Coordinates of all heavy atoms in Angstrom, one line a residue:
F704 N -8.6 7.2 3.7 CA -7.8 7.3 4.9 C -7.6 8.7 5.3 O -7.3 9.6 4.5 CB -6.4 6.7 4.7 CG -6.5 5.3 4.2 CD1 -6.3 4.9 2.9 CD2 -6.8 4.3 5.1 CE1 -6.3 3.5 2.5 CE2 -6.9 3.0 4.7 CZ -6.6 2.6 3.4
Q705 N -7.8 9.0 6.5 CA -7.7 10.3 7.1 C -6.4 10.4 8.0 O -6.2 9.5 8.8 CB -9.0 10.8 7.9 CG -10.2 10.9 7.1 CD -10.1 12.0 6.0 OE1 -9.6 13.0 6.3 NE2 -10.6 11.7 4.8
P706 N -5.7 11.5 7.9 CA -4.5 11.7 8.7 C -4.9 11.8 10.1 O -6.0 12.4 10.5 CB -3.9 13.0 8.3 CG -4.5 13.3 6.9 CD -5.9 12.6 6.9
P707 N -4.1 11.2 11.1 CA -4.4 11.4 12.5 C -4.3 12.8 13.0 O -3.6 13.7 12.4 CB -3.3 10.5 13.1 CG -2.6 9.8 12.0 CD -3.0 10.5 10.7
A708 N -4.8 13.1 14.2 CA -4.8 14.4 14.8 C -3.5 14.7 15.4 O -3.0 15.9 15.3 CB -6.0 14.5 15.8
R709 N -2.8 13.8 16.0 CA -1.5 14.0 16.7 C -0.5 14.5 15.7 O -0.3 13.7 14.6 CB -1.0 12.8 17.5 CG -2.0 12.5 18.7 CD -1.5 11.3 19.5 NE -1.4 10.2 18.5 CZ -0.6 9.1 18.7 NH1 0.2 9.1 19.8 NH2 -0.6 8.1 17.9
P710 N 0.3 15.5 16.0 CA 1.2 16.0 15.0 C 2.4 15.0 14.5 O 2.5 14.8 13.3 CB 1.9 17.1 15.7 CG 1.0 17.5 16.8 CD 0.2 16.2 17.2
R711 N 2.9 14.1 15.4 CA 3.9 13.1 15.1 C 3.2 12.1 14.2 O 3.8 11.7 13.1 CB 4.5 12.6 16.3 CG 5.4 11.4 16.0 CD 6.8 11.7 15.9 NE 7.6 10.5 15.8 CZ 8.7 10.4 15.2 NH1 9.2 11.5 14.6 NH2 9.3 9.3 15.0
A712 N 2.1 11.5 14.6 CA 1.4 10.5 13.8 C 1.0 11.1 12.5 O 1.1 10.4 11.5 CB 0.3 10.0 14.6
R713 N 0.5 12.3 12.5 CA 0.1 13.0 11.2 C 1.3 13.1 10.2 O 1.1 12.8 9.1 CB -0.5 14.3 11.5 CG -1.0 15.1 10.2 CD -1.6 16.4 10.7 NE -2.2 17.1 9.6 CZ -3.4 16.8 9.1 NH1 -4.1 15.9 9.7 NH2 -3.8 17.5 8.0
Q714 N 2.4 13.5 10.8 CA 3.6 13.5 9.9 C 4.1 12.2 9.3 O 4.3 12.1 8.1 CB 4.8 14.1 10.7 CG 6.1 14.3 9.9 CD 7.3 14.7 10.8 OE1 7.1 14.8 12.0 NE2 8.3 15.1 10.2
E715 N 4.0 11.2 10.2 CA 4.4 9.9 9.6 C 3.3 9.4 8.6 O 3.7 8.7 7.6 CB 4.4 8.8 10.8 CG 5.6 9.1 11.6 CD 5.7 8.2 12.9 OE1 4.7 7.4 13.1 OE2 6.6 8.3 13.7
Y716 N 2.1 9.6 8.9 CA 1.0 9.3 7.9 C 1.2 10.0 6.6 O 1.2 9.3 5.5 CB -0.3 9.6 8.4 CG -1.4 9.4 7.4 CD1 -2.0 8.2 7.3 CD2 -1.9 10.5 6.6 CE1 -3.0 7.9 6.3 CE2 -2.9 10.3 5.7 CZ -3.4 9.1 5.5 OH -4.3 8.8 4.5
L717 N 1.5 11.3 6.6 CA 1.7 12.0 5.3 C 3.0 11.5 4.6 O 3.0 11.5 3.4 CB 1.8 13.5 5.7 CG 0.5 14.1 6.1 CD1 0.7 15.6 6.5 CD2 -0.6 14.0 5.1
Q718 N 4.0 11.1 5.3 CA 5.2 10.5 4.6 C 4.8 9.2 4.0 O 5.2 9.0 2.9 CB 6.3 10.3 5.7 CG 7.0 11.5 6.1 CD 8.0 11.3 7.2 OE1 8.0 10.3 7.9 NE2 8.9 12.2 7.4
L719 N 4.0 8.4 4.7 CA 3.6 7.1 4.1 C 2.7 7.5 2.8 O 2.9 6.8 1.8 CB 2.8 6.3 5.1 CG 2.1 5.1 4.5 CD1 3.1 4.1 4.0 CD2 1.2 4.5 5.6
A720 N 1.8 8.4 2.9 CA 1.0 8.7 1.8 C 1.7 9.2 0.6 O 1.4 8.8 -0.6 CB -0.1 9.8 2.2
N721 N 2.7 10.0 0.8 CA 3.6 10.5 -0.2 C 4.4 9.4 -0.9 O 4.5 9.3 -2.1 CB 4.5 11.6 0.2 CG 3.8 12.9 0.6 OD1 2.8 13.2 0.1 ND2 4.4 13.7 1.5
A722 N 4.9 8.4 -0.1 CA 5.7 7.3 -0.6 C 4.8 6.5 -1.4 O 5.2 6.0 -2.5 CB 6.3 6.5 0.6
V723 N 3.5 6.2 -1.0 CA 2.6 5.4 -1.7 C 2.2 6.0 -3.1 O 2.2 5.4 -4.1 CB 1.3 5.0 -0.9 CG1 0.2 4.5 -1.7 CG2 1.7 4.1 0.3
E724 N 2.0 7.4 -3.0 CA 1.7 8.0 -4.2 C 2.8 8.0 -5.2 O 2.6 7.9 -6.4 CB 1.2 9.5 -3.9 CG 1.0 10.3 -5.2 CD -0.1 9.6 -6.1 OE1 -1.0 8.9 -5.7 OE2 0.0 9.9 -7.4
M725 N 4.1 8.2 -4.8 CA 5.3 8.1 -5.6 C 5.4 6.7 -6.2 O 5.7 6.5 -7.4 CB 6.5 8.5 -4.9 CG 6.5 10.0 -4.6 SD 8.0 10.6 -3.7 CE 9.0 9.3 -3.4
T726 N 5.1 5.7 -5.4 CA 5.2 4.4 -6.0 C 4.1 4.1 -7.0 O 4.3 3.5 -8.0 CB 4.9 3.4 -4.8 OG1 6.0 3.6 -3.8 CG2 5.0 1.9 -5.2
R727 N 2.9 4.6 -6.8 CA 1.8 4.5 -7.7 C 2.2 5.1 -9.0 O 1.9 4.7 -10.1 CB 0.5 5.0 -7.2 CG -0.7 4.6 -8.1 CD -1.7 5.6 -8.4 NE -1.2 7.0 -8.6 CZ -1.0 7.6 -9.8 NH1 -1.1 6.9 -10.9 NH2 -0.6 8.8 -9.9
A728 N 2.8 6.3 -8.9 CA 3.2 7.1 -10.0 C 4.2 6.4 -10.9 O 4.2 6.4 -12.1 CB 3.6 8.4 -9.7
V729 N 5.2 5.7 -10.2 CA 6.2 4.9 -10.9 C 5.6 3.6 -11.6 O 5.9 3.3 -12.7 CB 7.4 4.5 -10.0 CG1 8.3 3.5 -10.6 CG2 8.1 5.9 -9.6
L730 N 4.7 3.0 -10.8 CA 4.2 1.7 -11.3 C 3.1 1.9 -12.3 O 2.8 1.0 -13.1 CB 3.6 0.9 -10.1 CG 4.6 0.3 -9.1 CD1 4.0 -0.4 -8.0 CD2 5.6 -0.6 -9.8
G731 N 2.4 3.0 -12.2 CA 1.2 3.3 -13.0 C 1.4 3.0 -14.6 O 0.7 2.2 -15.1
P732 N 2.5 3.5 -15.1 CA 2.7 3.3 -16.6 C 3.0 1.8 -16.9 O 2.6 1.3 -17.9 CB 3.9 4.2 -16.9 CG 3.9 5.2 -15.9 CD 3.3 4.6 -14.7
V733 N 3.8 1.2 -16.0 CA 4.1 -0.2 -16.2 C 2.8 -1.1 -16.1 O 2.6 -2.0 -17.0 CB 5.1 -0.7 -15.1 CG1 5.3 -2.2 -15.3 CG2 6.4 0.2 -15.3
I734 N 2.0 -0.9 -15.1 CA 0.7 -1.6 -15.0 C -0.2 -1.3 -16.1 O -0.9 -2.3 -16.5 CB 0.0 -1.2 -13.6 CG1 1.0 -1.7 -12.4 CG2 -1.3 -1.8 -13.4 CD1 0.5 -1.2 -11.0
H735 N -0.2 -0.2 -16.6 CA -1.1 0.2 -17.6 C -0.8 -0.5 -18.9 O -1.7 -0.8 -19.7 CB -1.0 1.8 -17.9 CG -2.1 2.3 -18.9 ND1 -3.4 2.3 -18.6 CD2 -1.9 2.8 -20.1 CE1 -4.0 2.8 -19.7 NE2 -3.1 3.0 -20.6
T736 N 0.5 -0.7 -19.2 CA 0.9 -1.4 -20.4 C 1.1 -2.9 -20.3 O 1.3 -3.6 -21.4 CB 2.2 -0.8 -21.0 OG1 3.2 -1.0 -20.0 CG2 2.0 0.8 -21.2
T737 N 1.0 -3.4 -19.1 CA 1.2 -4.9 -18.9 C -0.1 -5.5 -18.5 O -0.7 -5.1 -17.5 CB 2.2 -5.1 -17.8 OG1 3.5 -4.4 -18.2 CG2 2.6 -6.6 -17.7
R738 N -0.5 -6.6 -19.2 CA -1.8 -7.3 -18.9 C -1.4 -8.3 -17.8 O -0.4 -9.0 -17.8 CB -2.3 -8.0 -20.1 CG -3.6 -8.7 -19.9 CD -4.1 -9.1 -21.2 NE -5.2 -10.0 -21.0 CZ -6.5 -9.7 -20.9 NH1 -6.8 -8.5 -20.9 NH2 -7.4 -10.6 -20.8
G739 N -2.2 -8.4 -16.7 CA -2.0 -9.4 -15.7 C -0.9 -9.1 -14.8 O -0.1 -10.0 -14.4
Y740 N -0.6 -7.8 -14.4 CA 0.5 -7.4 -13.6 C 0.4 -7.9 -12.1 O -0.7 -7.8 -11.6 CB 0.7 -6.0 -13.7 CG 2.0 -5.4 -13.1 CD1 3.1 -5.4 -13.9 CD2 2.1 -5.0 -11.7 CE1 4.4 -4.9 -13.4 CE2 3.3 -4.5 -11.3 CZ 4.4 -4.5 -12.1 OH 5.6 -4.0 -11.6
V741 N 1.4 -8.5 -11.6 CA 1.4 -9.0 -10.2 C 2.4 -8.2 -9.5 O 3.6 -8.2 -9.8 CB 1.6 -10.5 -10.1 CG1 1.7 -10.9 -8.7 CG2 0.6 -11.2 -10.8
L742 N 2.1 -7.7 -8.3 CA 3.0 -7.0 -7.4 C 3.0 -7.7 -6.1 O 2.0 -8.0 -5.5 CB 2.5 -5.5 -7.2 CG 3.3 -4.6 -6.3 CD1 4.8 -4.5 -6.8 CD2 2.7 -3.3 -6.1
V743 N 4.2 -8.0 -5.6 CA 4.3 -8.6 -4.3 C 5.1 -7.8 -3.3 O 6.1 -7.2 -3.7 CB 5.2 -10.0 -4.5 CG1 5.4 -10.7 -3.1 CG2 4.5 -10.9 -5.5
V744 N 4.5 -7.6 -2.1 CA 5.1 -6.8 -1.0 C 5.7 -7.8 0.0 O 4.9 -8.5 0.5 CB 4.1 -5.8 -0.4 CG1 4.8 -5.0 0.7 CG2 3.6 -4.9 -1.5
T745 N 7.0 -7.8 0.2 CA 7.6 -8.7 1.1 C 8.7 -8.1 1.9 O 9.2 -7.0 1.5 CB 8.0 -10.0 0.3 OG1 8.5 -11.0 1.3 CG2 9.2 -9.6 -0.6
S746 N 9.2 -8.8 2.9 CA 10.4 -8.3 3.7 C 11.0 -9.5 4.5 O 10.3 -10.6 4.5 CB 10.0 -7.3 4.6 OG 9.3 -7.6 5.7
A747 N 12.1 -9.3 5.0 CA 12.8 -10.4 5.7 C 12.3 -10.7 7.0 O 12.4 -11.8 7.6 CB 14.3 -10.1 5.8
T748 N 11.8 -9.6 7.8 CA 11.3 -9.9 9.1 C 9.9 -9.3 9.3 O 9.4 -8.6 8.5 CB 12.2 -9.1 10.1 OG1 12.1 -7.7 9.9 CG2 13.6 -9.6 10.0
T749 N 9.3 -9.6 10.5 CA 7.9 -9.2 10.8 C 8.0 -7.7 11.3 O 9.1 -7.3 11.8 CB 7.4 -10.0 11.9 OG1 8.1 -10.0 13.1 CG2 7.2 -11.5 11.5
G750 N 6.9 -7.1 11.3 CA 6.8 -5.7 11.7 C 7.3 -4.6 10.9 O 7.6 -3.4 11.4
E751 N 7.6 -4.9 9.7 CA 8.2 -3.8 8.9 C 7.2 -3.0 8.0 O 7.5 -2.2 7.2 CB 9.2 -4.4 7.9 CG 10.5 -4.9 8.6 CD 11.5 -5.4 7.7 OE1 11.2 -5.8 6.5 OE2 12.7 -5.4 8.1
G752 N 5.9 -3.4 8.2 CA 4.9 -2.6 7.5 C 4.4 -3.1 6.2 O 3.7 -2.3 5.5
K753 N 4.5 -4.3 5.9 CA 4.0 -4.9 4.7 C 2.6 -4.8 4.5 O 2.1 -4.4 3.4 CB 4.4 -6.4 4.6 CG 5.9 -6.7 4.6 CD 6.2 -8.2 4.6 CE 5.8 -8.8 5.9 NZ 6.6 -8.5 7.1
T754 N 1.8 -5.0 5.6 CA 0.4 -5.0 5.5 C -0.1 -3.5 5.3 O -1.0 -3.2 4.5 CB -0.3 -5.6 6.8 OG1 0.1 -6.9 6.9 CG2 -1.8 -5.5 6.7
V755 N 0.5 -2.7 6.1 CA 0.2 -1.2 5.9 C 0.4 -0.7 4.5 O -0.4 -0.1 3.9 CB 0.9 -0.4 7.0 CG1 0.7 1.1 6.7 CG2 0.4 -0.7 8.3
V756 N 1.6 -1.0 4.0 CA 2.1 -0.5 2.7 C 1.2 -1.1 1.6 O 0.7 -0.4 0.8 CB 3.5 -0.8 2.4 CG1 3.9 -0.5 1.0 CG2 4.4 0.1 3.4
S757 N 1.0 -2.4 1.6 CA 0.2 -3.0 0.6 C -1.3 -2.7 0.6 O -1.9 -2.5 -0.4 CB 0.3 -4.6 0.7 OG -0.1 -5.1 2.0
G758 N -1.8 -2.4 1.8 CA -3.2 -2.0 1.9 C -3.3 -0.6 1.3 O -4.2 -0.3 0.6
H759 N -2.4 0.4 1.7 CA -2.5 1.7 1.2 C -2.2 1.7 -0.3 O -2.9 2.4 -1.1 CB -1.5 2.6 1.9 CG -2.0 3.1 3.2 ND1 -2.1 2.3 4.3 CD2 -2.4 4.4 3.6 CE1 -2.6 3.1 5.3 NE2 -2.7 4.3 4.9
L760 N -1.3 0.9 -0.8 CA -1.0 0.9 -2.2 C -2.2 0.3 -3.0 O -2.6 0.9 -4.1 CB 0.3 0.1 -2.4 CG 0.8 0.1 -4.0 CD1 1.0 1.5 -4.4 CD2 2.1 -0.7 -4.0
A761 N -2.8 -0.7 -2.5 CA -3.9 -1.3 -3.2 C -5.1 -0.3 -3.2 O -5.8 -0.2 -4.3 CB -4.4 -2.5 -2.4
A762 N -5.3 0.4 -2.2 CA -6.4 1.4 -2.2 C -6.1 2.6 -3.1 O -7.0 3.0 -3.9 CB -6.6 2.0 -0.7
R763 N -4.8 3.0 -3.2 CA -4.4 4.1 -4.1 C -4.6 3.7 -5.5 O -5.1 4.4 -6.4 CB -3.1 4.6 -3.7 CG -2.6 5.7 -4.5 CD -3.5 7.0 -4.2 NE -3.3 8.0 -5.2 CZ -4.0 8.4 -6.2 NH1 -5.1 7.6 -6.5 NH2 -3.7 9.3 -7.0
L764 N -4.1 2.4 -5.8 CA -4.3 2.0 -7.2 C -5.7 1.8 -7.7 O -6.2 2.2 -8.7 CB -3.6 0.7 -7.4 CG -2.1 0.7 -7.4 CD1 -1.4 -0.6 -7.2 CD2 -1.5 1.4 -8.6
A765 N -6.6 1.3 -6.8 CA -8.1 1.2 -7.0 C -8.6 2.6 -7.2 O -9.5 2.7 -8.1 CB -8.6 0.5 -5.9
R766 N -8.3 3.5 -6.5 CA -8.8 4.9 -6.6 C -8.4 5.5 -7.9 O -9.1 6.4 -8.5 CB -8.5 5.8 -5.4 CG -9.4 5.6 -4.2 CD -9.1 6.6 -3.2 NE -7.7 6.8 -2.9 CZ -7.2 6.5 -1.7 NH1 -8.0 6.2 -0.7 NH2 -5.9 6.6 -1.4
A767 N -7.2 5.1 -8.4 CA -6.7 5.6 -9.7 C -7.4 4.9 -10.9 O -7.0 5.2 -12.0 CB -5.2 5.4 -9.7
G768 N -8.2 3.9 -10.6 CA -9.0 3.2 -11.7 C -8.4 1.9 -12.1 O -8.8 1.3 -13.1
Y769 N -7.4 1.4 -11.4 CA -6.7 0.2 -11.8 C -7.6 -1.0 -11.1 O -8.0 -0.9 -10.0 CB -5.3 0.0 -11.4 CG -4.4 1.0 -12.1 CD1 -4.0 2.2 -11.5 CD2 -3.9 0.7 -13.3 CE1 -3.1 3.2 -12.1 CE2 -3.1 1.6 -14.0 CZ -2.8 2.8 -13.4 OH -1.9 3.7 -14.0
R770 N -7.7 -2.1 -11.8 CA -8.4 -3.2 -11.2 C -7.4 -3.8 -10.2 O -6.2 -4.1 -10.5 CB -8.7 -4.3 -12.3 CG -9.9 -3.8 -13.2 CD -10.1 -4.8 -14.3 NE -10.4 -6.2 -13.7 CZ -10.7 -7.2 -14.4 NH1 -10.7 -7.1 -15.7 NH2 -10.9 -8.4 -13.8
T771 N -7.8 -3.9 -9.0 CA -6.9 -4.3 -7.9 C -7.5 -5.4 -7.0 O -8.7 -5.4 -6.7 CB -6.7 -3.0 -7.0 OG1 -6.2 -1.9 -7.8 CG2 -5.7 -3.3 -5.9
L772 N -6.7 -6.3 -6.6 CA -7.0 -7.4 -5.8 C -5.9 -7.6 -4.7 O -4.7 -7.8 -5.1 CB -7.2 -8.7 -6.5 CG -7.5 -10.0 -5.7 CD1 -8.8 -9.8 -5.0 CD2 -7.6 -11.2 -6.6
L773 N -6.2 -7.4 -3.5 CA -5.2 -7.5 -2.4 C -5.4 -8.9 -1.8 O -6.6 -9.2 -1.3 CB -5.4 -6.4 -1.3 CG -4.5 -6.5 -0.1 CD1 -3.1 -6.4 -0.5 CD2 -5.0 -5.4 0.9
V774 N -4.4 -9.7 -1.8 CA -4.5 -11.1 -1.2 C -3.4 -11.2 -0.1 O -2.2 -11.0 -0.3 CB -4.2 -12.1 -2.3 CG1 -4.2 -13.5 -1.7 CG2 -5.1 -12.0 -3.5
D775 N -3.9 -11.4 1.1 CA -3.1 -11.7 2.3 C -2.7 -13.2 2.3 O -3.6 -14.0 2.6 CB -3.8 -11.2 3.5 CG -2.9 -11.3 4.7 OD1 -1.7 -11.7 4.6 OD2 -3.3 -10.8 5.8
T776 N -1.4 -13.5 2.1 CA -1.1 -14.9 2.1 C -0.3 -15.3 3.4 O 0.4 -16.3 3.4 CB -0.2 -15.2 0.8 OG1 1.0 -14.4 0.9 CG2 -1.0 -15.0 -0.4
D777 N -0.4 -14.5 4.4 CA 0.2 -14.9 5.7 C -0.7 -15.8 6.4 O -1.7 -15.4 7.0 CB 0.4 -13.6 6.5 CG 1.3 -13.9 7.8 OD1 1.3 -15.1 8.3 OD2 1.8 -12.9 8.3
A778 N -0.3 -17.1 6.3 CA -1.3 -18.1 6.9 C -1.3 -18.1 8.4 O -2.2 -18.6 9.0 CB -0.8 -19.6 6.4
R779 N -0.2 -17.6 9.0 CA -0.2 -17.6 10.5 C -0.8 -16.4 11.1 O -1.5 -16.6 12.2 CB 1.3 -17.6 10.9 CG 2.0 -19.0 10.8 CD 3.4 -19.0 11.2 NE 4.1 -19.0 9.9 CZ 5.3 -18.5 9.7 NH1 6.0 -17.9 10.7 NH2 5.9 -18.4 8.5
R780 N -0.7 -15.2 10.5 CA -1.3 -14.0 11.1 C -1.8 -13.1 10.0 O -1.3 -12.1 9.6 CB -0.2 -13.3 11.9 CG 0.1 -13.8 13.2 CD 1.2 -13.0 13.9 NE 2.3 -12.8 13.1 CZ 3.6 -13.1 13.4 NH1 3.8 -13.5 14.7 NH2 4.5 -13.0 12.6
P781 N -2.9 -13.5 9.3 CA -3.5 -12.7 8.3 C -4.1 -11.4 8.9 O -4.8 -11.5 9.9 CB -4.6 -13.5 7.7 CG -4.9 -14.6 8.8 CD -3.7 -14.7 9.6
R782 N -3.7 -10.3 8.4 CA -4.2 -9.0 8.9 C -4.7 -8.0 7.9 O -5.2 -6.9 8.2 CB -3.0 -8.3 9.7 CG -2.6 -9.1 10.9 CD -1.5 -8.4 11.7 NE -1.7 -7.0 11.7 CZ -0.8 -6.0 11.9 NH1 0.5 -6.4 11.9 NH2 -1.1 -4.8 12.0
A783 N -4.8 -8.3 6.6 CA -5.1 -7.4 5.6 C -6.6 -7.0 5.8 O -7.0 -5.9 5.3 CB -4.9 -8.0 4.2
N784 N -7.4 -7.8 6.4 CA -8.8 -7.5 6.5 C -9.1 -6.6 7.7 O -10.3 -6.2 8.0 CB -9.7 -8.8 6.6 CG -9.4 -9.5 7.9 OD1 -8.2 -9.5 8.4 ND2 -10.3 -10.3 8.4
E785 N -8.1 -6.3 8.5 CA -8.3 -5.4 9.7 C -8.3 -4.0 9.3 O -7.8 -3.5 8.4 CB -7.2 -5.6 10.8 CG -7.3 -7.1 11.3 CD -6.2 -7.3 12.3 OE1 -5.3 -6.4 12.5 OE2 -6.1 -8.5 12.7

């Protein structure tokens, strides 16, 4: 993933990237010591960024060497493949 060129969008992207990296750093030791770890990303309403966060986190975990499978279970509006 490359940061956008516009300053505001770039700042938001970098904040997301930092949050995803911090999440990976916290989850990494747990995932490393637990066989068959499942992580669910959910929220109460639509439009809160579940697809964006789960996609970035899955990519970051895969780049860190963890076996990763991203499953989009939204039957009405699947978007993980976009």
Side-chain angles (χ1 to χ4, degrees):
F704 302 105
Q705 294 298 318
R709 293 181 304 155
R711 170 95 176 151
R713 183 180 185 82
Q714 179 184 9
E715 290 175 0
Y716 172 85
L717 293 175
Q718 287 175 338
L719 172 64
N721 287 338
V723 167
E724 177 53 29
M725 288 181 358
T726 304
R727 193 225 35 99
V729 169
L730 292 175
V733 175
I734 294 171
H735 185 70
T736 59
T737 305
R738 184 172 166 88
Y740 192 84
V741 175
L742 176 67
V743 177
V744 178
T745 187
S746 72
T748 62
T749 60
E751 291 186 338
K753 297 175 292 291
T754 302
V755 171
V756 169
S757 59
H759 278 72
L760 186 57
R763 184 62 190 102
L764 288 168
R766 281 193 303 245
Y769 296 99
R770 290 178 55 181
T771 305
L772 175 63
L773 176 62
V774 178
D775 186 353
T776 59
D777 189 338
R779 286 176 259 153
R780 286 181 301 232
R782 294 182 42 205
N784 66 330
E785 293 179 2

